[in-house]
Amino acid sequence: MPPIAVIDFETTGLSPDMGDRATEVAIVLVEGDQIVDRFQSLMNAGVRISPFIEAFTGISNAMVAAAPPAEVVMAEASRFVGRAPMVAHNASFDRRFWAAELARVGHAAPQPFACTLLLARRLYPEAPNHKLGSLAAFHGLPSSGRAHRALADAEMAAALLGCIQRDLCQRYAVAQAHHALLLRVQQAQRQAVPAAVRRYLEAA
């Protein structure tokens, strides 16, 4: 199966449209159910981190001040991802920062994003909620570090992605749950997932 890039950002706030910037990025490359490579870096975008965000992420202004410039980190991140399709938990958030930070260095962000949050809502309605940590506990996934640090969250999202792919294969007799299937499933209503998988297989 072609590699998939699972990404997580830590940021100064919720929206790049409101002037928020990334403070840390982590990306893990997944082939099958194995992480085959990792990229992680703090980044200095020249903005202040509020006390609330510092307490939430553990990333301080001093840590960011000593980090490489954001444009250097994002250029490296873009090279690391290459043409791999992407996955994130609550992907609308990470996709916005990915596109906004890459735009600052003149890089396009063409990759489609699959979202483990949307997929989990379709496949695991019985979960207590669909936050990343709650889903990890629901599936018994091992913790990989402090929550709300980019690499730990990216690795946890990758582990959740593996669960989702295995469950899709088992439930619907799919040989491999490719990224294109993930996109098809997340766009369907929960009750329509079987039909979405069937149409995907018929078109393959």
Side-chain angles (χ1 to χ4, degrees):
M1 189 149 41
I4 291 173
V6 183
I7 190 168
D8 185 81
F9 279 104
E10 301 304 330
T11 69
T12 62
L14 295 177
S15 174
D17 294 336
M18 300 295 291
D20 295 313
R21 296 294 303 274
T23 57
E24 185 179 39
V25 62
I27 306 159
V28 295
L29 287 185
V30 178
E31 292 183 5
D33 59 356
Q34 297 293 318
I35 293 176
V36 296
D37 205 354
R38 294 170 172 83
F39 175 89
Q40 179 274 334
S41 182
L42 293 165
M43 64 179 80
N44 185 352
V47 294
R48 295 288 297 173
I49 300 171
S50 71
F52 172 79
I53 293 295
E54 182 174 338
F56 186 68
T57 65
I59 298 171
S60 68
N61 285 292
M63 291 165 64
V64 168
E71 57 268 25
V72 172
V73 174
M74 290 306 301
E76 291 176 359
S78 181
R79 286 192 294 270
F80 181 81
V81 170
R83 296 182 177 274
M86 302 187 76
V87 169
H89 195 76
N90 191 19
S92 63
F93 173 87
D94 294 281
R95 184 178 63 243
R96 286 195 302 271
F97 279 95
W98 177 245
E101 293 291 348
L102 284 180
R104 290 175 177 272
V105 294
H107 287 242
Q111 291 99 330
F113 268 72
C115 179
T116 51
L117 172 61
L118 294 179
L119 289 160
R121 285 176 176 166
R122 307 301 185 266
L123 297 178
Y124 313 120
E126 71 277 18
N129 63 63
H130 295 93
K131 296 178 182 178
L132 181 58
S134 299
L135 287 164
F138 179 74
H139 288 288
L141 302 176
S143 172
S144 56
R146 173 181 169 141
H148 308 301
R149 286 302 301 268
L151 185 58
D153 284 355
E155 290 183 344
M156 190 173 289
L160 176 59
L161 173 64
C163 286
I164 288 168
Q165 291 176 308
R166 288 190 294 274
D167 283 345
L168 283 170
C169 291
Q170 292 168 3
R171 293 185 192 188
Y172 302 108
V174 178
Q176 289 185 317
H178 290 286
H179 193 270
L181 176 58
L182 303 179
L183 295 177
R184 188 74 67 92
V185 169
Q186 75 183 29
Q187 292 162 0
Q189 297 295 320
R190 181 164 58 85
Q191 297 85 348
V193 167
V197 175
R198 184 172 64 251
R199 287 193 298 271
Y200 169 83
L201 293 173
E202 290 170 352

